[in-house]
């Protein structure tokens, strides 16, 4: 059974939603929202729901639920709210055929953190631990420094994230991927809900940068980048490992790493989940614009291939 638990929820209600990751925290993302309660055997599952115009959004990021429960949530929303479409990201189950829907299969990595740093490093092979120390020594020699500096910004008791860190991040992303964010540093941090930054540097030169969204005992790793001129020394991975060690000391228990297939996400016993970005429609009329756009794109690609041949 689904029922409304809080009709005008906010930040204070976010803690009732699990897993406690930023993309399930609708108080952070939207301010006010509706908290739905799915009553099940053994307790209740709380799911945030936000409405914008005729579209609703469910917070189901890695939420443990059965396919029938997902259908029940959609049925409740369509019965109680004037929306024509509902969407969500990274649900662990696809939506069944009760509704006109689309399930876009994707993946997500997460890392359950051990109790201490010794257990973390034990998850690496002896050869990997040796190579990590060797690469760090070679990097220091290349830069002409005795050691490298790890700094944290944005946390309690830490300085705020300086614009220079975000500007260096932009520069690295531009060189590595040709990515242009076209945002100010403050706008980037706000749009991607970055709460913390970690930098690895040598005498003021940034070598690698990690941005994260941290609340409670969980962390979402929002982005990671490094100086492409130093790529041969794996600076991104080395900072990632140091950040994991710092998070353990801060009492964090889980790190969410997003999708993709970057090799570092499987290190330290990272776990990959199959997920679904979903869309459900009230009726065929509501689904028509989305399906028409999909067909238009498909025919456009076919026409382009035909012209090229």
């Amino acid at each position: 059974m689904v029922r409304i638990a809080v009709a005008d929820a906010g930040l204070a209600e976010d803690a009732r939603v699990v897993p406690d990751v930023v993309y399930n925290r609708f108080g952070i993302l939207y301010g006010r929202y509706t908290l739905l309660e799915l009553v099940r055997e053994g307790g209740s599952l709380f799911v945030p729901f936000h409405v914008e115009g005729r579209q609703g959004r469910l917070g189901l990021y890695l939420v443990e639920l059965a396919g029938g429960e997902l259908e029940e949530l959609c049925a409740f929303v369509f019965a109680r709210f004037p929306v024509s479409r509902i969407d969500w990201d990274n649900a662990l189950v696809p939506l069944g055929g009760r509704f006109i829907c689309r399930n876009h299969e994707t993946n997500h990595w997460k890392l359950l953190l051990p109790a201490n740093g010794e257990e973390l490093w034990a998850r690496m092979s002896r050869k990997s631990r040796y190579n990590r120390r060797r690469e760090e020594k070679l990097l220091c020699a290349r830069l002409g420094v005795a050691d490298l500096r790890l700094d944290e910004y944005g946390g309690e008791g830490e300085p705020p994230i300086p614009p220079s860190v975000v500007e260096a991040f932009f520069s690295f992303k531009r060189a590595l991927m040709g990515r242009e964010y076209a945002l100010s540093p403050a706008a980037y941090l706000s749009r991607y809900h970055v709460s913390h930054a970690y930098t690895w540097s040598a005498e003021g030169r940034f070598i690698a940068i990690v941005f994260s969204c941290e609340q409670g005992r969980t962390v979402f790793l929002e982005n990671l980048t490094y100086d492409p001129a130093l790529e041969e020394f794996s600076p991104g991975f080395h900072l990632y490992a140091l950040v994991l060690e710092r998070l353990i000391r801060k009492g964090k228990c889980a790190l969410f790493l997003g999708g993709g297939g970057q090799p570092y996400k499987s290190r330290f016993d990272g776990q990959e989940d199959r997920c679904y970005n979903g869309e459900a429609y009230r009726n065929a009329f509501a689904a028509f614009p989305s399906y028409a756009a999909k067909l238009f794109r498909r025919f456009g690609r076919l026409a382009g291939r035909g012209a090229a041949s």
Side-chain angles (χ1 to χ4, degrees), residues 273-290:
D273 287 315
R274 177 181 297 176
C275 306
Y276 302 88
N277 297 334
E279 305 162 14
Y281 299 91
R282 181 180 291 276
N283 49 46
F285 179 78
F288 177 76
S290 177

Side-chain angles (χ1 to χ4, degrees), residues 264-277:
Y264 78 89
K265 295 184 179 182
S266 64
R267 304 289 292 273
F268 300 108
D269 297 341
Q271 303 169 20
E272 184 180 20
D273 287 315
R274 177 181 297 176
C275 306
Y276 302 88
N277 297 334

Side-chain angles (χ1 to χ4, degrees), residues 149-169:
R149 180 184 177 100
L150 173 65
D151 288 302
E152 177 181 350
Y153 301 94
E156 185 176 349
E158 303 291 346
I161 302 171
S164 59
V165 171
V166 187
E167 288 162 356
F169 167 85

Side-chain angles (χ1 to χ4, degrees), residues 31 39 49 58 71 76 84 86 88 105 132 138 172 174 249 272 287 294 306 308:
V39 182
F49 176 68
L58 290 166
E71 291 191 358
F76 179 87
S84 57
I86 312 165
W88 56 87
E105 187 171 336
R132 178 183 170 278
L138 290 172
F172 294 163
R174 187 181 306 115
R249 290 203 300 270
E272 184 180 20
K294 180 181 178 182

